[in-house]
Amino acid sequence: MRPRPRPLVVLVERTLLAALVLSAGSASATTLRRAATPVVRAVAQANGCAAATLRVAATERAFAAAAKATNVRDAFVAFIADSGAVLGGPRPARKADLAASPVRPGALLWGPEVVFTSAAGDLGFSTGPSESYPSAAPDARPNHGHFSTIWAQQADGTYRFLADIGISHAAPADGMIGVATLPAPPATPAADARCSDAPAVASASAIAAAQAADSAYAATAARSWRAAASAHAADVRVHRGGRHPLVGRAAHDSVAAWDAPLGAPAAQIGVARSGDFAWSRGTYVIGSTVTPTETGNFLRVWRHDGRAWKLAVEVLSPARPPRPAPRDSTRG
């Protein structure tokens, strides 16, 4: 593993912290709640690039704006990478699949609440609340959910998504962030703002270590989900269909209580050039493979804390969620 970059300290408004968490250790709340008062605070960014984080957040907002201005299908086609996929069915939906799908009625609204990137800025993660409306009728009631997206920087410096997955859940509880209550976005960085220097591709040792961490997690979870939770980062995020997202200790304790085997070997793993950010995706089975209690698609995000790989995000999107998401995306 290459030496970790020195922590970068960024000043942010406390009211913006819910919309843009720049730190691996800054999310101390166990639920996704709005800040009560605006306070300027320093966030020690254990890894990531502030400039890239802001650019990914801006891209996510542009993606949502395009869906609102045109339609969901065309927005997804415009913002998916050539090798990207939407994870929400029996097989990943690629760019050609999205382009060939019909435009469906209704609307989909969303926005980024948490965003972080690799130190090189080549990979990023975003998540936040979503609302899907099955029709354009004035009295249409929304389905609520959370999306999670892996972003990759392109040759021209823009970002396009490599993987998109979502969960459905009940309406936000009191005090939780909803689409309508997302704080205003911070300013985007200057065009010449740079991230850390990194090799053209991740080192072989970084790739091998990330693959080993993900494989070890999958192998342990197949025996005991509780034991696998030892790989959690302090601010781990767990998104499981039918439940509100959980963060930190609440997420860790919840997973430990779900002490059932989780079969989730990775079908794809990607590692950042800076060797500090990795992600994996695949399908999962909870319980017996013969008579599973739940199946679906998963997304995992890993960050290196300078000593070891830690699981930062786990998303489990059931094949049959309690409240089905609209077919043209997995965001709500």
Side-chain angles (χ1 to χ4, degrees):
M1 173 57 58
R2 62 184 294 278
R4 296 289 301 114
R6 296 183 62 184
L8 172 66
V9 177
V10 181
L11 293 179
V12 295
E13 289 284 340
R14 185 66 178 90
T15 50
L16 296 180
L17 196 57
L20 186 62
V21 175
L22 302 179
S23 168
S26 63
S28 58
T30 57
T31 55
L32 310 177
R33 297 184 178 277
R34 283 180 292 165
T37 56
V39 180
V40 176
R41 60 173 291 179
V43 178
Q45 186 174 296
N47 50 18
C49 171
T53 300
L54 293 175
R55 291 192 185 105
V56 168
T59 303
E60 186 71 77
R61 293 188 182 93
F63 184 13
K68 187 175 181 179
T70 57
N71 60 73
V72 174
R73 183 201 66 186
D74 290 351
F76 270 71
V77 172
F79 282 84
I80 190 172
D82 289 343
S83 60
V86 175
L87 312 176
R91 66 178 182 85
R94 303 290 183 177
K95 189 170 188 174
D97 300 319
L98 298 176
S101 66
V103 174
R104 300 187 181 279
L108 183 61
L109 308 177
W110 74 86
E113 180 183 5
V114 172
V115 180
F116 56 81
T117 66
S118 65
D122 58 326
L123 289 178
F125 169 79
S126 62
T127 186
S130 65
E131 294 176 0
S132 60
Y133 293 80
S135 74
D139 60 348
R141 300 181 63 181
N143 294 318
H144 297 274
H146 264 71
F147 69 88
S148 295
T149 307
I150 299 295
W151 294 92
Q153 189 173 40
Q154 308 298 294
D156 62 359
T158 61
Y159 287 87
R160 293 295 181 262
F161 74 80
L162 290 175
D164 184 88
I165 192 170
I167 62 167
S168 296
H169 56 63
D174 182 45
M176 293 180 70
I177 288 289
V179 176
T181 56
L182 283 168
T188 53
D192 59 352
R194 294 189 56 181
C195 300
S196 69
D197 292 330
V201 296
S203 67
S205 60
I207 294 172
Q211 290 174 333
D214 193 87
S215 296
Y217 176 82
T220 304
R223 299 190 300 272
S224 167
W225 212 340
R226 179 179 300 169
S230 63
H232 286 170
D235 64 341
V236 64
R237 306 179 67 85
V238 176
H239 295 197
R240 186 176 176 187
R243 300 163 172 82
H244 287 127
L246 295 171
V247 182
R249 174 55 61 180
H252 180 83
D253 291 347
S254 180
V255 169
W258 301 336
D259 194 24
L262 169 69
Q268 179 181 4
I269 297 178
V271 182
R273 293 187 292 116
S274 43
D276 59 342
F277 179 116
W279 67 280
S280 64
R281 68 159 184 88
T283 58
Y284 71 89
V285 173
I286 295 177
S288 167
T289 56
V290 178
T291 56
T293 58
E294 183 178 310
T295 63
N297 291 276
F298 76 82
L299 177 73
R300 291 193 286 260
V301 182
W302 296 85
R303 288 188 295 194
H304 200 276
D305 65 3
R307 297 178 300 276
W309 285 100
K310 292 294 184 180
L311 185 64
V313 181
E314 181 163 55
V315 182
L316 300 171
S317 180
R320 294 181 179 83
R323 303 183 68 184
R327 288 178 60 191
D328 39 359
S329 87
T330 60
R331 296 198 160 218

